[in-house]
PDB file of all heavy atoms in Angstrom:
ATOM      1  N   GLU A  30     -26.987   1.172  55.614  1.00 90.00           N
ATOM      2  CA  GLU A  30     -28.246   1.423  55.023  1.00 90.00           C
ATOM      3  C   GLU A  30     -28.208   1.323  53.500  1.00 90.00           C
ATOM      4  O   GLU A  30     -29.028   1.934  52.774  1.00 90.00           O
ATOM      5  CB  GLU A  30     -28.949   2.686  55.427  1.00 90.00           C
ATOM      6  CG  GLU A  30     -29.292   2.760  56.968  1.00 90.00           C
ATOM      7  CD  GLU A  30     -30.373   1.871  57.384  1.00 90.00           C
ATOM      8  OE1 GLU A  30     -30.992   1.162  56.533  1.00 90.00           O
ATOM      9  OE2 GLU A  30     -30.739   1.960  58.538  1.00 90.00           O
ATOM     10  N   ASP A 110     -35.307   8.620  59.850  1.00 92.00           N
ATOM     11  CA  ASP A 110     -34.463   7.427  59.707  1.00 92.00           C
ATOM     12  C   ASP A 110     -34.370   7.182  58.201  1.00 92.00           C
ATOM     13  O   ASP A 110     -35.197   7.601  57.426  1.00 92.00           O
ATOM     14  CB  ASP A 110     -35.188   6.178  60.302  1.00 92.00           C
ATOM     15  CG  ASP A 110     -35.117   6.238  61.842  1.00 92.00           C
ATOM     16  OD1 ASP A 110     -34.504   7.142  62.361  1.00 92.00           O
ATOM     17  OD2 ASP A 110     -35.671   5.361  62.499  1.00 92.00           O
ATOM     18  N   ALA A 111     -33.279   6.364  57.886  1.00 91.00           N
ATOM     19  CA  ALA A 111     -33.005   6.198  56.432  1.00 91.00           C
ATOM     20  C   ALA A 111     -33.824   4.931  55.943  1.00 91.00           C
ATOM     21  O   ALA A 111     -33.696   4.687  54.776  1.00 91.00           O
ATOM     22  CB  ALA A 111     -31.589   6.040  56.227  1.00 91.00           C
ATOM     23  N   ASP A 112     -34.461   4.125  56.793  1.00 88.00           N
ATOM     24  CA  ASP A 112     -34.919   2.844  56.430  1.00 88.00           C
ATOM     25  C   ASP A 112     -36.333   2.855  55.843  1.00 88.00           C
ATOM     26  O   ASP A 112     -36.954   1.856  55.700  1.00 88.00           O
ATOM     27  CB  ASP A 112     -34.820   1.832  57.545  1.00 88.00           C
ATOM     28  CG  ASP A 112     -35.604   2.360  58.778  1.00 88.00           C
ATOM     29  OD1 ASP A 112     -36.359   3.346  58.613  1.00 88.00           O
ATOM     30  OD2 ASP A 112     -35.485   1.750  59.844  1.00 88.00           O
ATOM     31  N   MET A 113     -36.925   4.056  55.590  1.00 85.00           N
ATOM     32  CA  MET A 113     -38.212   4.279  55.045  1.00 85.00           C
ATOM     33  C   MET A 113     -39.394   3.902  55.961  1.00 85.00           C
ATOM     34  O   MET A 113     -40.506   3.796  55.598  1.00 85.00           O
ATOM     35  CB  MET A 113     -38.402   3.481  53.702  1.00 85.00           C
ATOM     36  CG  MET A 113     -37.504   4.002  52.634  1.00 85.00           C
ATOM     37  SD  MET A 113     -37.874   5.640  52.001  1.00 85.00           S
ATOM     38  CE  MET A 113     -39.260   5.272  50.953  1.00 85.00           C
ATOM     39  N   GLN A 114     -39.064   3.623  57.276  1.00 86.00           N
ATOM     40  CA  GLN A 114     -40.140   3.341  58.186  1.00 86.00           C
ATOM     41  C   GLN A 114     -40.834   4.626  58.468  1.00 86.00           C
ATOM     42  O   GLN A 114     -42.094   4.658  58.738  1.00 86.00           O
ATOM     43  CB  GLN A 114     -39.575   2.821  59.576  1.00 86.00           C
ATOM     44  CG  GLN A 114     -39.122   1.366  59.397  1.00 86.00           C
ATOM     45  CD  GLN A 114     -38.956   0.793  60.807  1.00 86.00           C
ATOM     46  OE1 GLN A 114     -37.886   1.121  61.479  1.00 86.00           O
ATOM     47  NE2 GLN A 114     -39.873  -0.015  61.322  1.00 86.00           N
ATOM     48  N   GLN A 115     -40.097   5.733  58.298  1.00 88.00           N
ATOM     49  CA  GLN A 115     -40.674   7.084  58.466  1.00 88.00           C
ATOM     50  C   GLN A 115     -40.723   7.712  57.112  1.00 88.00           C
ATOM     51  O   GLN A 115     -39.756   7.785  56.415  1.00 88.00           O
ATOM     52  CB  GLN A 115     -39.807   7.844  59.463  1.00 88.00           C
ATOM     53  CG  GLN A 115     -39.707   7.068  60.729  1.00 88.00           C
ATOM     54  CD  GLN A 115     -38.622   7.591  61.645  1.00 88.00           C
ATOM     55  OE1 GLN A 115     -37.789   8.432  61.226  1.00 88.00           O
ATOM     56  NE2 GLN A 115     -38.632   7.127  62.909  1.00 88.00           N
ATOM     57  N   HIS A 215     -43.983   2.495  58.710  1.00 80.00           N
ATOM     58  CA  HIS A 215     -43.968   1.316  57.696  1.00 80.00           C
ATOM     59  C   HIS A 215     -43.051   0.272  58.237  1.00 80.00           C
ATOM     60  O   HIS A 215     -42.163   0.535  58.979  1.00 80.00           O
ATOM     61  CB  HIS A 215     -43.535   1.837  56.327  1.00 80.00           C
ATOM     62  CG  HIS A 215     -44.336   2.959  55.827  1.00 80.00           C
ATOM     63  ND1 HIS A 215     -45.741   2.816  55.543  1.00 80.00           N
ATOM     64  CD2 HIS A 215     -44.044   4.330  55.571  1.00 80.00           C
ATOM     65  CE1 HIS A 215     -46.179   4.013  55.071  1.00 80.00           C
ATOM     66  NE2 HIS A 215     -45.148   4.855  55.115  1.00 80.00           N
ATOM     67  N   ARG A 217     -39.776  -1.939  57.928  1.00 73.00           N
ATOM     68  CA  ARG A 217     -38.428  -1.582  57.328  1.00 73.00           C
ATOM     69  C   ARG A 217     -38.352  -1.953  55.857  1.00 73.00           C
ATOM     70  O   ARG A 217     -38.744  -2.986  55.421  1.00 73.00           O
ATOM     71  CB  ARG A 217     -37.433  -2.367  58.120  1.00 73.00           C
ATOM     72  CG  ARG A 217     -36.173  -1.636  58.368  1.00 73.00           C
ATOM     73  CD  ARG A 217     -35.275  -2.389  59.226  1.00 73.00           C
ATOM     74  NE  ARG A 217     -34.258  -1.445  59.814  1.00 73.00           N
ATOM     75  CZ  ARG A 217     -33.359  -0.838  59.239  1.00 73.00           C
ATOM     76  NH1 ARG A 217     -33.140  -1.111  57.999  1.00 73.00           N
ATOM     77  NH2 ARG A 217     -32.522  -0.041  59.794  1.00 73.00           N
ATOM     78  N   THR A 221     -32.011  -4.964  58.464  1.00 72.00           N
ATOM     79  CA  THR A 221     -32.600  -5.278  59.786  1.00 72.00           C
ATOM     80  C   THR A 221     -32.382  -4.126  60.748  1.00 72.00           C
ATOM     81  O   THR A 221     -31.556  -3.286  60.479  1.00 72.00           O
ATOM     82  CB  THR A 221     -31.928  -6.539  60.354  1.00 72.00           C
ATOM     83  OG1 THR A 221     -30.524  -6.334  60.309  1.00 72.00           O
ATOM     84  CG2 THR A 221     -32.295  -7.846  59.681  1.00 72.00           C
ATOM     85  N   THR A 222     -33.196  -4.155  61.826  1.00 73.00           N
ATOM     86  CA  THR A 222     -33.043  -3.100  62.810  1.00 73.00           C
ATOM     87  C   THR A 222     -31.680  -3.266  63.442  1.00 73.00           C
ATOM     88  O   THR A 222     -31.191  -4.326  63.658  1.00 73.00           O
ATOM     89  CB  THR A 222     -34.217  -3.198  63.926  1.00 73.00           C
ATOM     90  OG1 THR A 222     -33.797  -2.200  64.899  1.00 73.00           O
ATOM     91  CG2 THR A 222     -34.246  -4.572  64.524  1.00 73.00           C
ATOM     92  N   LYS A 223     -31.117  -2.108  63.877  1.00 70.00           N
ATOM     93  CA  LYS A 223     -29.813  -2.093  64.528  1.00 70.00           C
ATOM     94  C   LYS A 223     -29.920  -2.331  66.012  1.00 70.00           C
ATOM     95  O   LYS A 223     -28.914  -2.197  66.716  1.00 70.00           O
ATOM     96  CB  LYS A 223     -29.064  -0.785  64.222  1.00 70.00           C
ATOM     97  CG  LYS A 223     -29.065  -0.390  62.753  1.00 70.00           C
ATOM     98  CD  LYS A 223     -28.357  -1.398  61.886  1.00 70.00           C
ATOM     99  CE  LYS A 223     -28.408  -1.067  60.362  1.00 70.00           C
ATOM    100  NZ  LYS A 223     -29.737  -1.005  59.777  1.00 70.00           N
ATOM    101  N   TRP A 224     -31.166  -2.435  66.481  1.00 74.00           N
ATOM    102  CA  TRP A 224     -31.346  -2.542  67.926  1.00 74.00           C
ATOM    103  C   TRP A 224     -31.634  -4.037  68.341  1.00 74.00           C
ATOM    104  O   TRP A 224     -32.601  -4.574  67.917  1.00 74.00           O
ATOM    105  CB  TRP A 224     -32.566  -1.687  68.312  1.00 74.00           C
ATOM    106  CG  TRP A 224     -32.310  -0.235  68.126  1.00 74.00           C
ATOM    107  CD1 TRP A 224     -32.658   0.526  67.050  1.00 74.00           C
ATOM    108  CD2 TRP A 224     -31.685   0.646  69.055  1.00 74.00           C
ATOM    109  NE1 TRP A 224     -32.174   1.806  67.238  1.00 74.00           N
ATOM    110  CE2 TRP A 224     -31.641   1.928  68.487  1.00 74.00           C
ATOM    111  CE3 TRP A 224     -31.117   0.564  70.356  1.00 74.00           C
ATOM    112  CZ2 TRP A 224     -31.108   3.003  69.106  1.00 74.00           C
ATOM    113  CZ3 TRP A 224     -30.585   1.569  70.980  1.00 74.00           C
ATOM    114  CH2 TRP A 224     -30.544   2.878  70.345  1.00 74.00           C
TER     115      TRP A 224
HETATM  116 MG1   MG B   2     -35.992   1.640  61.660  1.00 71.44          MG
END
Side-chain angles (χ1 to χ4, degrees):
E30 295 288 4
D110 289 355
D112 57 9
M113 299 291 282
Q114 284 194 285
Q115 304 166 347
H215 302 296
R217 216 173 202 289
T221 51
T222 175
K223 311 297 178 300
W224 293 93

